[in-house]
Amino acid sequence: MTDGVSPAADEPDPESPEDPVTREGTGRSIAWMALAGLLLVAGVTSLYGEVWRRGPARFVPRMPTLVEPGSYMDHVDIADYRLVIGRVAGNARALAYTPSRIFQKEQCYPADDVLAVGDPMLTSGLLALPGYLASSDPVVAYNTLLVLLALLSGAAMCALVWNWSGVPAAGIVAGLLYALHEYKISNASHAFIFDTVWIVLALFFVQRLFERGRIRDGAALGICCVLQMAEGFYALLGAILLAIPVSIWLVVRKRGLPAWPGLVTALGFVAAGAIWLFSPYLEAIGDHPASVRLYAAWYELTPWHVTGGLGAALVFVALLTPRRVCLADPRVDPRWPLLLGILLIAVISAGGNIHTEREIWLQLQEAPPALPDPYDFLAQYIPGLAQVRAPMMISVVGQLALCILAGLGAGAVVRLAPQRTRAPVGILLVLLVWVLTLRPSWVGLEPRTSMLPFEIRPTAELLAFYDRLSELGNTGPLLEFPTGTWPSTPTSASRQVFLSAYHHRRTSGCYMSVIPDSVKAGYRSANSLLPNVRNQRLRALRDTGFTTIVIHHREARLPKGAKAALDRAASRKGSLIRRLHQTQELTAYEILLEPR
């Protein structure tokens, strides 16, 4: 045999001696599960504990070295953080109180079905729901999401690899790399992009579906697929690419499809979820392609970048060892489908070698021969792909597959050890991965991932301002100045969106890559209001639905003389506007139905 395994070795031997690692009794399995839980909780505590100690309603974890402090990209990252927290908290609130209006969001008035534009983040909202119900606070909800996502990711990956390898230590290694590695957790402002845990669970259930064909396995698979679809597009695209070789492997291995009841159940869930989520998306985005398309550099897709040096070594061990060494059942060998999926994801997310071309051109003024861009080719024929701004993020699914391979490699290392030492070797390997992944300072290492508390909560004055408007009986959509959105006004637009997660009123603030046409028209009407505020233009805004104009005094892009112009109009007899409330940072004006 090419892998050095005899046919008899491929079959389980009921008379073989008990392996203390791979054939666990209940007691030892519980001990391994306790170790996995302890290390996961300890890792999550080391990453996010300081945020919860200082105040989960004020602070979020942020890696200060992710971008240069004070740079434009630093401002964009903070703006993105506000947007994501606002959307996740809004989804949690809608799931709790108004699930029938889940697509209706506060931002981007007068556009409807705003959730359809951009990544939905509904699954993040579901995970944030316990924190929101307990506190009604957007930041607490998001911090809850980060904790639960890390724990769920580690547990799901551990279960999958433990099942495939038969070695508990292998599952724990894969779970730690997947949940706690810098690649996954450093970009906390975009946690929804790195949420691929539903793909892990889908891999678990799709194998069970092919083996047993039960309706409940098909339902579980379909639900996992819908939850991944409801999170964001990048991981979904990566999941589709990974599913191609995995599905072929499963069909070839079974020599056919699974039993029809389970398969139809899974496909029914997927079809219903796709229609529910993507029909409004395709209608909302129109034919406007993304203004920029960002691809990954090849080095960003390497095992050592995604899983670290030890993780990369374990990946190669998994690929180079015979099936019977790294797998519980040598007849179930997912290594090569996973590897093909990784390569397919890398080719698509790198866009050929566009990133390399640009880097070399900038440094050496000589670009290499261009490789074909398969993503651009697909975007010409598949609706919705042309509007995706960062195909580079499809690579997050490659990290998932590499962690699986690293776990299988860890299982091979344990099995290659003398039988009496397998349990200690597994424990040592698990602890080594935990230490090298987190690099805690108390063992003399410099932490590679420093997640520091970043204060993001709006000031008490800002929140009190909107509370006061509510006390005065002022309701309805807000027209907020300065108007505009990404990339010209990331700070002001994202702040308006973030504040709406607290006051829950519709706002003209809109911070997304694709801006609905109705919002652009609203901005044009708003900007035509200044500097000469006329009743005719105020009436047009009122007819659009706006009831209130809010001026943010300290925003750099606020039109010059905007407040003075509105104050003059408010003091004029017969005007359709009156000043309602003012603080050092904000002023609110009510648009009246009839002249004063």
Side-chain angles (χ1 to χ4, degrees), residues 232-301:
F233 303 120
Y234 298 116
L236 174 61
L237 294 174
I240 294 171
L241 295 174
L242 182 63
I244 295 172
V246 170
S247 299
I248 294 173
W249 164 65
L250 289 169
V251 170
V252 170
R253 177 175 169 267
K254 184 178 174 58
R255 298 180 182 177
L257 297 172
W260 284 107
L263 180 61
V264 170
T265 301
L267 293 177
F269 273 100
V270 171
I275 293 172
W276 177 58
L277 286 166
F278 298 137
S279 294
Y281 168 73
L282 293 174
E283 182 180 352
I285 60 175
D287 297 325
H288 306 296
S291 58
V292 64
R293 190 175 290 167
L294 305 174
Y295 290 103
W298 279 100
Y299 77 86
E300 296 173 337
L301 310 172

Side-chain angles (χ1 to χ4, degrees), residues 198-244:
W198 314 105
I199 304 173
V200 177
L201 294 171
L203 288 171
F204 180 83
F205 287 113
V206 74
Q207 182 189 350
R208 294 169 67 93
L209 176 63
F210 269 81
E211 290 176 349
R212 307 176 186 182
R214 297 180 302 188
I215 291 178
R216 65 185 183 187
D217 292 324
L221 172 61
I223 291 171
C224 290
C225 292
V226 172
L227 287 171
Q228 192 62 67
M229 285 191 284
E231 187 68 292
F233 303 120
Y234 298 116
L236 174 61
L237 294 174
I240 294 171
L241 295 174
L242 182 63
I244 295 172

Side-chain angles (χ1 to χ4, degrees), residues 417-434:
Q419 184 165 330
R420 291 185 178 181
T421 65
R422 287 177 181 176
V425 167
I427 293 173
L428 288 175
L429 186 57
V430 165
L431 294 177
L432 183 61
V433 167
W434 190 90

Side-chain angles (χ1 to χ4, degrees), residues 55-263:
R58 292 177 54 202
F59 296 92
V60 289
R62 188 164 183 256
M63 190 174 179
T65 57
L66 188 64
V67 292
E68 182 181 353
S71 65
Y72 174 76
M73 289 308 301
D74 185 47
H75 291 298
V76 169
D77 184 63
I78 296 172
D80 283 0
Y81 221 146
R82 294 192 185 110
L83 165 69
V84 173
I85 293 174
R87 175 161 283 201
V88 168
N91 286 341
R93 185 172 186 269
L95 288 170
Y97 304 118
T98 56
S100 63
R101 295 175 54 82
I102 193 69
F103 279 89
Q104 299 295 323
K105 296 301 168 189
E106 291 86 356
Q107 68 183 96
C108 301
Y109 186 83
D112 291 323
D113 293 341
V114 177
L115 189 74
V117 184
D119 294 280
M121 307 183 211
L122 282 171
T123 307
S124 285
L126 184 64
L127 291 178
L129 185 58
Y132 192 85
L133 290 176
S135 66
S136 298
D137 188 275
V139 182
V140 172
Y142 195 79
N143 281 318
T144 303
L145 159 69
L146 294 177
V147 171
L148 292 181
L149 186 57
L151 294 175
L152 180 60
S153 297
M157 180 62 75
C158 180
L160 176 68
V161 176
W162 187 338
N163 179 59
W164 278 354
S165 68
V167 180
I172 299 174
V173 164
L176 293 176
L177 288 173
Y178 177 58
L180 304 179
H181 191 270
E182 174 187 6
Y183 176 87
K184 189 176 181 72
I185 56 92
S186 61
N187 199 342
S189 58
H190 298 85
F192 72 96
I193 293 179
F194 294 85
D195 177 12
T196 56
V197 66
W198 314 105
I199 304 173
V200 177
L201 294 171
L203 288 171
F204 180 83
F205 287 113
V206 74
Q207 182 189 350
R208 294 169 67 93
L209 176 63
F210 269 81
E211 290 176 349
R212 307 176 186 182
R214 297 180 302 188
I215 291 178
R216 65 185 183 187
D217 292 324
L221 172 61
I223 291 171
C224 290
C225 292
V226 172
L227 287 171
Q228 192 62 67
M229 285 191 284
E231 187 68 292
F233 303 120
Y234 298 116
L236 174 61
L237 294 174
I240 294 171
L241 295 174
L242 182 63
I244 295 172
V246 170
S247 299
I248 294 173
W249 164 65
L250 289 169
V251 170
V252 170
R253 177 175 169 267
K254 184 178 174 58
R255 298 180 182 177
L257 297 172
W260 284 107
L263 180 61

